[in-house]
Amino acid sequence: MKNILVNLTFLCSFLIVSNAQVSMPDIAVTQSEWNGYTRLDFKLCDREGIIVMPKKVAEGKPWIWRPAFFGHEPQTDLALLSKGWHVVYYDVTHLYGSPRAVALGYDFYRYVTGKYGLSGKAVLEGFSRGGLFAFNWAAEYPDLVAGIYADAPVCDFKSWPAGGNRNSASDLWRDCIKEYGFASAQEAWDDTRNPVDNLATLAQAGIPVIAVCGDADDAVPYKDNMGLVRQRYLALGGNAHVIIKPGVNHHPHSLENPEPIVDFIVQHTGMYRQKMHLNLRGTLNNCRIKFERGKKGRVAFMGGSITEMKGWRDMVCNELRLRFPDTEFDFVDAGISSTGTTPGAFRFERDVLCNGPVDLLFEEAAVNDETNHFTDMEQIRGMEGVIRQARLSNPDMDIVMLHFIWDGMLQPLEKGTIPQVILNHEKVAEYYRIPSINLALEISQRMQAGEFDWEKFGGTHPSPFGHKFYAAAVSRLFDEMWHFPIESAGQLNPHVLPIVPLDPYSYFHGKLVDVRQAKLGKGWKYEPAWQPTVKASTRKRFVDVPAIEALKPSATLHLKFKGTAIGIFNVAGPDAGIIEYSVDGKPFRKRDLFTEWSKGLYIPWVTMLETELAGGEHEIVIRTAKEHHPDSKGNACQILYFAVNGE
């Protein structure tokens, strides 16, 4: 940033330095109304200035600044006003982002921040030729810029107004040459002060950019302007999101629903990001290389109902599409309600690797691992089972671990206590050098700060409003992990896998074994499309599927298997009974299959029976017991798979 206290040179003479202070003059201001908001009009350096005031000012007094075309397609401006942002305009429309325009803009910036106390960092809004000013001003004063929203922006005056022809007879091209003070068209053509040639400073400052462009724009062609900016900005380690409007020309600008633009702008401001809790470990280089250079990518999302539902997962998918608009993605939804890391470790191959090798995996399980009452040891064995298995399947796979929040975490977090399940999962993340995000802590702190309450957030299963915080933190993680030139990422580099696991009995060889491998005795039957016999809710993927079922006591089965652990992937409903089991002829032990959710739901459950066996071949005998839980309606056992930690 320029030193503003000494040796100042301004285009306007009204700013006077005295005793290390910049004094502001009295300027005539006209007040009116604009779309229901108070509008202030004034002249600065004989150029039009406008400030539109929000009804309730947001913390930090954020503002968005247009250098051209005030009021045109104002959807984003109006949405930001409703969130407490100021909308500001200064008319440098016909100056083509010239050095004079940049200097005038600095005078204007000093005036509005000094007079009205606006944030020291502005979001620049460059529509069409306003893009030249937005990028050029940000390059000159990167410390004063929070972000850029560019809409069908001109990023190279050789493209517009020259139209790709240095000898163009366009009046606008001649006007541009004159404004810059070039001696000839050739001198203009050789100049390197266009945004496409001047992005390094912005990238180094970490200025986020979102652009909206029509792919049929023949006035300001995307490939020669924002397309080239995006390509070069990404190569420099910059963050550029591009929303492509198929078949759209230069007009209309913006989006009918500006929500994606507004979310990007708000979520990339410093005030918003102060409460995010990222643990930056390892790298996400490999997936970035695959997405940008290979133009293809497979991304998997594993977790429970918060992942399965429409929300953060869809938002992150869209985030990746905007970051890599030329990339073909295959998104794998491996979220299943009620399941945590133990089921995850055994279903990993089936549900995550179903389409082939995965480039980027998101894993969340803190909520279900805690609510399903897994022990500390089980939480580590399950999470390590997922993570180690993932890296064994593809050493190049990048992984992100997320910790979500539920009702039971609210009080401990308010007291400053991190839930033990998060600490357990963090042990695995640290051991395998995996980046993670503590969203439970973020949401707790935002609620304590009064940003929203638990009801508005949506509770354990967040509202769309709540899911935005989860997705925004992932976006921040991408910014932090990819803030370097892609050329320096080199080639794909396999992640180092620790030779010794955290727990030798972790489920990293977990697999699902077909129930037809069991030898069924009297009382058991194979159902190719199992349906419950008692009326209750079911989970998708766990009904109308193959299963073996026993409904009465004393039904016995035998299974031979090889591995260190054996369990059953069952559905525990209102008629769930108790099973007895014996491995390798040892005394029978009992396990009640009825859960606290079984009264009204056939809940998918992995019931581990023996977990620390010696490697090798074993045989288990399972039979239904005569007794059952007091709240159960029967002695049933429905098994969809056997869960084996194989060799």
Side-chain angles (χ1 to χ4, degrees):
M1 178 180 170
K2 302 291 187 295
N3 185 339
I4 61 171
L5 301 181
V6 295
N7 298 325
L8 293 179
T9 301
F10 294 101
L11 292 185
C12 301
S13 60
F14 63 85
L15 293 175
I16 304 172
V17 179
S18 176
N19 297 324
Q21 297 292 325
V22 179
S23 62
M24 300 297 166
D26 290 327
I27 293 178
V29 175
T30 302
Q31 181 173 317
S32 60
E33 184 180 281
W34 185 74
N35 287 291
Y37 295 93
T38 298
R39 167 177 169 168
L40 306 179
D41 285 73
F42 53 91
K43 285 290 184 78
L44 194 66
C45 299
D46 295 323
R47 310 192 77 85
E48 182 182 12
I50 299 172
I51 297 179
V52 184
M53 318 289 284
K55 298 184 187 308
K56 182 179 179 181
V57 178
E59 182 181 6
K61 289 193 174 182
W63 55 299
I64 188 166
W65 174 11
R66 276 207 199 199
F69 310 116
F70 175 78
H72 180 66
E73 298 287 353
Q75 298 91 303
T76 297
D77 295 345
L78 291 171
L80 287 173
L81 278 166
S82 72
K83 293 180 177 295
W85 284 54
H86 289 73
V87 170
V88 179
Y89 173 73
Y90 188 54
D91 183 15
V92 288
T93 306
H94 304 295
L95 301 187
Y96 309 98
S98 66
R100 181 165 72 106
V102 170
L104 283 165
Y106 183 65
D107 286 358
F108 178 77
Y109 166 89
R110 291 298 302 152
Y111 176 72
V112 296
T113 54
K115 183 75 172 179
Y116 296 97
L118 302 183
S119 169
K121 289 197 172 190
V123 172
L124 294 162
E125 184 178 22
F127 272 50
S128 192
R129 72 187 72 177
L132 288 168
F133 176 88
F135 282 102
N136 286 348
W137 201 86
E140 185 70 16
Y141 302 105
D143 294 342
L144 309 183
V145 178
I148 295 174
Y149 160 39
D151 204 295
V154 178
C155 302
D156 187 347
F157 55 54
K158 294 191 292 292
S159 172
W160 186 96
N165 177 9
R166 73 167 60 86
N167 297 315
S168 170
S170 164
D171 290 340
L172 291 173
W173 175 229
R174 287 196 293 266
D175 189 39
C176 178
I177 292 172
K178 180 180 178 181
E179 171 60 33
Y180 273 79
F182 295 127
S184 66
Q186 184 62 52
E187 184 181 347
W189 211 256
D190 295 336
D191 192 75
T192 58
R193 282 176 289 180
N194 277 293
V196 293
D197 302 312
N198 201 18
L199 296 167
T201 304
L202 282 70
Q204 290 167 7
I207 295 173
V209 177
I210 186 167
V212 177
C213 303
D215 65 1
D217 192 334
D218 55 13
V220 184
Y222 168 73
K223 69 179 182 65
D224 299 325
N225 290 275
M226 192 60 215
L228 189 56
V229 165
R230 183 214 163 260
Q231 176 187 333
R232 293 179 176 178
Y233 205 49
L234 183 68
L236 291 166
N239 171 12
H241 287 43
V242 180
I243 300 174
I244 301 292
K245 298 185 289 187
V248 174
N249 206 318
H250 194 61
H251 293 279
H253 285 287
S254 193
L255 303 172
E256 289 187 12
N257 178 5
E259 186 176 6
I261 306 168
V262 174
D263 287 345
F264 180 92
I265 292 171
V266 172
Q267 292 168 7
H268 282 80
T269 58
M271 299 298 294
Y272 185 95
R273 292 186 162 202
Q274 286 178 359
K275 297 183 182 71
M276 292 179 174
H277 296 279
L278 311 182
N279 297 304
L280 304 177
R281 308 182 185 93
T283 77
L284 298 179
N285 291 350
N286 289 339
C287 66
R288 183 186 183 203
I289 291 170
K290 290 290 292 289
F291 299 161
E292 182 61 20
R293 295 180 186 167
K295 304 301 182 186
K296 286 190 176 182
R298 181 170 292 118
V299 182
F301 300 82
M302 194 174 200
S305 54
I306 304 172
T307 293
E308 184 180 33
M309 69 188 296
K310 183 176 177 59
W312 76 272
R313 172 177 51 82
D314 305 89
M315 296 174 187
V316 170
C317 291
N318 194 49
E319 165 85 11
L320 288 168
R321 292 189 188 101
L322 296 181
R323 285 180 182 264
F324 304 97
D326 301 324
T327 300
E328 178 185 342
F329 282 104
D330 174 26
F331 295 114
V332 179
D333 174 12
I336 296 181
S337 298
S338 308
T339 63
T341 56
T342 293
F346 290 97
R347 67 183 181 88
F348 187 84
E349 181 177 0
R350 183 196 70 175
D351 294 342
V352 173
L353 304 181
C354 50
N355 295 343
V358 169
D359 303 309
L360 175 61
L361 170 68
F362 290 92
E363 165 67 15
E364 65 86 7
V367 172
N368 281 337
D369 268 14
E370 184 167 83
T371 58
N372 291 353
H373 312 301
F374 285 100
T375 65
D376 293 350
M377 180 185 67
E378 289 171 323
Q379 291 169 6
I380 290 175
R381 286 181 176 178
M383 181 58 81
E384 185 175 33
V386 171
I387 300 304
R388 193 172 182 88
Q389 188 175 174
R391 288 280 167 79
L392 286 169
S393 73
N394 177 16
D396 294 337
M397 187 190 302
D398 292 333
I399 304 173
V400 175
M401 188 183 296
L402 308 173
H403 310 306
F404 294 157
I405 190 171
W406 73 288
D407 306 60
M409 293 179 179
L410 296 179
Q411 287 189 355
L413 286 166
E414 287 177 4
K415 296 177 181 178
T417 301
I418 302 298
Q420 187 61 44
V421 65
I422 294 178
L423 297 177
N424 290 336
H425 288 173
E426 279 294 295
K427 290 179 184 177
V428 180
E430 180 64 31
Y431 192 67
Y432 287 90
R433 306 304 299 158
I434 291 168
S436 62
I437 309 176
N438 191 342
L439 290 146
L441 182 57
E442 175 186 339
I443 300 309
S444 173
Q445 291 182 345
R446 289 188 185 280
M447 289 193 294
Q448 291 178 60
E451 292 185 30
F452 49 80
D453 58 20
W454 187 235
E455 182 179 0
K456 183 173 182 180
F457 179 75
T460 303
H461 298 95
S463 63
F465 169 84
H467 274 285
K468 286 184 179 182
F469 290 94
Y470 287 176
V474 174
S475 176
R476 169 75 182 281
L477 179 68
F478 289 155
D479 290 349
E480 298 293 333
M481 300 296 281
W482 292 337
H483 186 47
F484 57 89
I486 193 169
E487 285 79 3
S488 65
Q491 302 301 314
L492 295 178
N493 190 18
H495 295 278
V496 176
L497 186 70
I499 297 174
V500 179
L502 270 174
D503 187 324
Y505 293 107
S506 290
Y507 308 132
F508 51 88
H509 288 305
K511 60 182 178 180
L512 300 176
V513 175
D514 194 315
V515 290
R516 288 173 292 186
Q517 292 193 23
K519 182 179 179 181
L520 303 182
K522 185 177 180 180
W524 285 95
K525 61 179 178 178
Y526 174 74
E527 294 285 355
W530 175 81
Q531 287 281 347
T533 56
V534 177
K535 187 175 181 181
S537 299
T538 58
R539 297 289 195 212
K540 67 179 182 179
R541 308 188 203 187
F542 294 95
V543 66
D544 288 322
V545 294
I548 55 175
E549 180 177 52
L551 299 176
K552 296 181 179 180
S554 302
T556 304
L557 65 78
H558 296 251
L559 174 73
K560 292 183 179 181
F561 67 96
K562 183 182 292 187
T564 59
I566 179 69
I568 58 174
F569 207 134
N570 58 301
V571 280
D575 55 350
I578 295 173
I579 60 171
E580 301 168 332
Y581 62 94
S582 168
V583 175
D584 299 334
K586 293 182 179 179
F588 277 87
R589 302 168 69 182
K590 292 184 178 182
R591 180 63 64 86
D592 192 346
L593 302 182
F594 194 84
T595 75
E596 61 186 282
W597 300 277
S598 293
K599 285 185 178 181
L601 170 67
Y602 279 90
I603 188 170
W605 206 265
V606 170
T607 306
M608 297 307 296
L609 303 176
E610 293 289 349
T611 59
E612 297 184 3
L613 297 169
E617 295 185 353
H618 304 279
E619 182 176 15
I620 188 170
V621 178
I622 299 176
R623 68 190 182 201
T624 50
K626 293 180 181 180
E627 66 270 29
H628 58 71
H629 189 281
D631 293 330
S632 176
K633 297 180 180 179
N635 303 87
C637 178
Q638 296 95 359
I639 304 175
L640 280 63
Y641 297 94
F642 293 102
V644 175
N645 198 33
E647 297 177 345

